[in-house]
Amino acid sequence: MSSLSERLTRGTASSPAQIDHARRLVADWQLLADLAFADLTLWVPLPSGSWWCVAQVRPLTAPTSRPEDMVGAEVGPEEARPFAVALRDGRPVTDGEPDWTGHTPRRREVIPVRHEGVGIAVLAKDTNLAVTRSPSTLELTYLDIAADLCLMISAGTFPPGTLADAEMSPRVGDGLARLDGAGRVSYASPNALSAYRRIGVAGDLAGATLADVTCRVVTDRVAGEAAAAGITAAVAGRYPDPMDVEAASATLLLRALPLQAPGAAPGALVLVRDVTDVRRRDRALLTKDATIREIHHRVKNNLQTVAALLRLQARRMTEPAARAALEESVRRVASIAVVHETLAGSREDVVDVDDVLDQVLPMLGDLTSVGPAARTRRTGSFGELPAVAATPLVLAVTELLHNAAEHAFREGEPGVIELVAERDGEDLVVRVRDDGQGLPPGFDPATSDGLGLQIVRTLVTSELGGSLTMGVPEGRAGTEVVLHLPGDGWPRR
C-alpha cells in the first residue's frame, strides 16, 4: 500500500501545503472519531469523477460501523454526490436517509476538508445507529464538541499547524473539560475531575476559571504561569503546545484546543492525562542513561591510562620484538577506547561504526613499519551496530588493516589498502584488500599461529557468529580478507 501522501496526490491535494494539512488532520482525527462516536474516512476526487478513500479511523468510544477496510475503495459519481456537494459548497452535508443495508445501520455526514479556502478532500463521518440509548451529559458534550470541530474543518481552522504526537497526546477518555469564551469550565468529565483531584484541586471544576485553578496547584510558579498562559491562548483561538502540570502529588499532561466554530460561541477544549508514572519512568531512564554514559566515559579513561602505561613500557624496551608486541597492545587498547568514547557521547546503545573507524584509521599510520607509503582507503558504510557487536568488529578490522600495512608491502614500497563495507540484506560483508606482494607460498590462514590473525578469527567466529576467508582478489594482485557477518548473529545486548 502506498503512503498517505502518495494517495493524496491522486486527488485534488496537489500542493505540499495541502498534503501536509491533510496529513495533520489524519494524525489528529482519532480525537474527532472518539468525540463523534463515529467512523471517519477521508476521500479525494479522481479525474475520472470517482472518489477514492485514502485513510480510515475507528472510534474508541463506540462500536464501529465500518468493520471492513475502506482504504483503497472507490465510489462512482452518483454514489458520491454528497461528497461533491460538500466540497463545492464548503459546508457539512447529511447524506439523505440512514443506510439500513448491510449488517450495521448507519447515518453519514460529509464534511469538506479545506485549506486556505480551497477544498482538498472530504471527511465521511459514519455513525452506528444500532447503538440506541439515552445520551448522558458527557455524551451530549462530546457530540457538541465534535460538531464544532467539524465546522472548523470545513472552515480550514482545524487541525493545528503542528503535527500531533498521537502516542503521548491525551485522549478523550483520559479526561476532558470544555471552557466557555471567558475560560470558565462549562463541563468537566469524571476522569478530568479525578485527574485534578490528584493534583490537589478539591470540589467541582464547573464555573471555575481553569487557567487560575491550574496555576495555583503547580509547584513551580513559572511552569504554572506557562500552563495558565497556554489555556488562555486556546480560549483566544490559538493552538498552544501540550504542557506538563506538575504538582506535589501528581503530574498531568494538558492539551488545549480552541473551539472557534463559525456561528457558534467561542471556547476551548482541554484534554487531561495523568502522566505521573510516565514522567517518573522518564526520569529514571534519564538517570540510568547518564549513569551508563558515565561508565563508558570512565572505561575509556582507564583504557587510555593502560595504553599510556604500555607505551611508556615499550619505550624502555631494548628488545625489538618485545617493543613491537607492546606497541600492538597499545593499538588494540586504543581501538577499544575509541568505541567507549563514542558510547559516552551517545544516548543509544548503538555505535556508528563509520565514525569510530574514521578515528581509528589515522592511528594506524603511527604504528605500521611502512609509514605513510601505504595509503588506506575506505568505501561503503558500516552503519550502526549494537555496542557489543561494534567493539569486536572494530578490533577485528583494525587488526586486518594493521597486518596488511605491516606484511603486504616491502619496506618503502608504496601501496593501497582498501576497506570495503557492503550490505547483503541484513548481513554485513567486510573486505580488506591490498595490492601488495600477496600471501607467502603454502600459507594457510586456518593453521596460522600469528596472534593478530588468531584474534581476528576468534572475534569473527565466536563474538560475531561470522566467517573469515583469505585469498587473492579477483583480477588483481595482492591479498583479500573477507568477513561475512550475518545480521541475526550479532549480539544485541
Side-chain angles (χ1 to χ4, degrees):
M1 178 65 69
S2 58
S3 68
L4 175 61
S5 297
E6 292 171 337
R7 296 194 294 272
L8 286 167
T9 54
R10 286 189 58 186
T12 54
S14 55
S15 73
Q18 291 173 349
I19 292 173
D20 186 57
H21 182 80
R23 288 179 60 248
R24 285 186 278 110
L25 173 61
V26 170
D28 219 5
W29 67 351
Q30 185 68 61
L31 168 66
L32 178 58
D34 292 345
L35 288 169
F37 308 102
D39 291 73
L40 304 179
T41 46
L42 188 66
W43 299 79
V44 295
L46 300 177
S48 63
S50 299
W51 289 71
W52 192 39
C53 181
V54 297
Q56 177 181 16
V57 67
R58 297 181 178 90
L60 301 176
T61 52
T64 179
S65 64
R66 287 287 186 183
E68 71 275 21
D69 185 6
M70 295 295 296
V71 177
E74 285 190 33
V75 295
E78 184 64 29
E79 186 179 352
R81 183 174 297 173
F83 294 176
V85 173
L87 194 64
R88 182 195 65 206
D89 297 346
R91 59 177 179 81
V93 173
T94 301
D95 190 6
E97 295 296 321
D99 182 3
W100 300 101
T101 63
H103 298 290
T104 305
R106 55 181 174 265
R107 179 184 294 277
R108 168 172 286 181
E109 183 182 8
V110 182
I111 301 101
V113 179
R114 298 172 64 83
H115 176 63
E116 296 180 349
V118 178
I120 58 178
V122 298
L123 197 66
K125 178 164 69 74
D126 294 315
T127 304
N128 190 337
L129 298 180
V131 182
T132 57
R133 62 176 181 269
S134 299
S136 63
T137 304
L138 179 143
E139 291 171 333
L140 291 173
T141 303
Y142 279 16
L143 293 171
D144 192 35
I145 296 172
D148 282 354
L149 290 178
C150 287
L151 291 174
M152 291 172 66
I153 292 172
S154 300
T157 56
F158 184 85
T162 55
L163 206 61
D165 184 353
E167 185 175 345
M168 281 303 299
S169 182
R171 296 185 182 274
V172 170
D174 294 327
L176 170 151
R178 176 158 192 171
L179 312 184
D180 61 18
R184 292 186 295 267
V185 179
S186 58
Y187 176 80
S189 70
N191 284 349
L193 293 174
S194 297
Y196 265 84
R197 288 195 183 99
R198 283 193 283 274
I199 61 173
V201 178
D204 197 356
L205 289 174
T209 302
L210 191 64
D212 295 341
V213 171
T214 304
C215 185
R216 285 197 298 267
V217 297
V218 176
T219 53
D220 185 282
R221 184 178 63 85
V222 175
E225 292 175 353
I231 296 173
T232 304
V235 175
R238 298 189 297 274
Y239 286 95
D241 293 332
M243 61 206 92
D244 275 3
V245 174
E246 186 169 358
S249 55
T251 302
L252 304 184
L253 175 62
L254 265 61
R255 185 188 181 198
L257 300 169
L259 294 176
Q260 304 279 343
L269 166 65
V270 178
L271 299 171
V272 184
R273 180 183 178 188
D274 188 341
V275 292
T276 306
D277 292 337
V278 175
R279 295 295 180 258
R280 186 181 295 118
R281 286 195 298 268
D282 288 344
R283 286 191 288 268
L285 287 173
L286 287 174
T287 302
K288 180 181 178 182
D289 177 70
T291 303
I292 291 173
R293 285 188 286 120
E294 177 62 23
I295 290 172
H296 284 302
H297 180 71
R298 294 188 182 187
V299 170
K300 182 263 297 184
N301 289 343
N302 291 339
L303 288 172
Q304 288 180 334
T305 301
V306 172
L309 293 173
L310 291 174
R311 190 177 292 110
L312 287 173
Q313 187 65 45
R315 290 173 182 171
R316 294 176 176 270
M317 298 300 295
T318 57
E319 179 64 36
R323 175 179 293 180
L326 288 175
E327 288 177 343
E328 286 188 0
S329 298
V330 170
R331 173 178 51 78
R332 290 165 184 148
V333 172
S335 298
I336 300 173
V338 171
V339 175
H340 283 279
E341 183 178 18
T342 304
L343 288 169
S346 172
R347 292 190 176 274
E348 302 290 340
D349 193 21
V350 295
V351 176
D352 189 328
V353 180
D354 299 291
D355 286 348
V356 174
L357 288 173
D358 287 341
Q359 299 177 59
V360 171
L361 291 181
M363 297 162 48
L364 298 176
D366 298 333
L367 299 173
T368 57
S369 59
V370 293
R375 293 181 292 108
T376 304
R377 183 172 61 207
R378 183 171 68 84
T379 59
S381 175
F382 287 80
E384 293 184 340
L385 292 179
V388 287
T391 302
L393 176 60
V394 170
L395 190 54
V397 168
T398 54
E399 284 292 336
L400 292 174
L401 292 171
H402 186 269
N403 286 345
E406 189 172 13
H407 302 296
F409 309 100
R410 296 180 180 88
E411 186 172 354
E413 178 185 11
V416 176
I417 305 170
E418 189 174 9
L419 173 62
V420 182
E422 302 170 345
R423 286 283 182 175
D424 182 10
E426 291 293 322
D427 299 351
L428 177 64
V429 179
V430 181
R431 304 178 189 275
V432 179
R433 54 192 177 209
D434 61 71
D435 56 359
Q437 56 189 337
L439 296 173
F443 178 81
D444 184 1
T447 59
S448 172
D449 58 356
L451 178 60
L453 198 55
Q454 288 183 6
I455 290 175
V456 172
R457 189 185 303 113
T458 301
L459 292 173
V460 171
T461 58
S462 300
E463 298 290 328
L464 299 171
S467 60
L468 178 148
T469 58
M470 296 184 69
V472 179
E474 185 176 352
R476 55 187 289 185
T479 306
E480 180 179 61
V481 182
V482 180
L483 309 181
H484 186 275
L485 309 175
D488 57 1
W490 295 334
R492 300 293 172 182
R493 289 288 184 268

